[in-house]
Amino acid sequence: MHFSHLSREVLAETLLAAGPDAPTLCEGWATRHLAAHLYLRERSARVGLGLVVPAWHGASDRATERLAARNATPERFAEIVAAFRAGPPALSPLRLAAVDEAANLAEFFVHTEDVRRATDRWAPRALDTAYADALWDELIKRAALLYRGVDLGVVLVSTAGPRHVARRAAVSVAIVGDPGELLLHASGRTAQALVTFEGQPDAVALLASSEVGH
């Protein structure tokens, strides 16, 4: 079962409810920047390359800034969110359900929470079990990469039962939480993720000071 389409809808609604000038957890970005990023990553090869090729980061950032500036009014912001909601271009490989799920499920969930959790008053969403399981599956595919900057072992423990060893080392920390919360922590939203830690105090402190999700 695929959930990226549902995640796209929820993210679009969250952006619209927030408006163009709301804060996000993405450093330096308001919601209009996030909307521009989401739109461009599916339509601009330059921006797409900028997400993975360091030499293209600058061009990607400039394109995002330009589009965000053009969509600063509520009316223009609503238009770009509607374009994002409509999905990628007809010939894009993202039109294939499996590709869409792999590229967008985790991305859309995390960015939805980037908007929701940037305010003082928020509560975690109650996720459908199948949706949470899909987030867990996406998390374990990329966990080793997301925790590559951590100089100790990392074990992810879902409250639903599964465990996954993201990194192996002589000293490890277990991170415990619901799949969505674990995904947020692994994606660098460590201060907002509702997780707990099991391990030696100095190891937990090292994890807290480590670069995660980059």
Side-chain angles (χ1 to χ4, degrees), residues 29 33 36-37 40 47 59-69:
W29 279 6
H33 299 91
H37 160 76
L40 289 170
V47 171
S60 176
D61 290 344
R62 288 190 294 274
T64 300
E65 287 286 348
R66 286 194 299 270
L67 186 57

Side-chain angles (χ1 to χ4, degrees), residues 121-139:
R121 300 178 64 182
W122 61 269
R125 287 184 284 160
L127 303 181
D128 178 84
T129 300
Y131 183 42
D133 289 345
L135 292 176
W136 172 260
D137 291 343
E138 288 300 314
L139 170 61

Side-chain angles (χ1 to χ4, degrees), residues 29-52:
W29 279 6
T31 40
R32 65 182 181 275
H33 299 91
L34 180 54
H37 160 76
L38 291 165
Y39 175 85
L40 289 170
R41 71 186 281 272
E42 296 184 329
R43 290 169 172 79
S44 168
R46 175 175 293 185
V47 171
L49 284 171
L51 299 176
V52 294

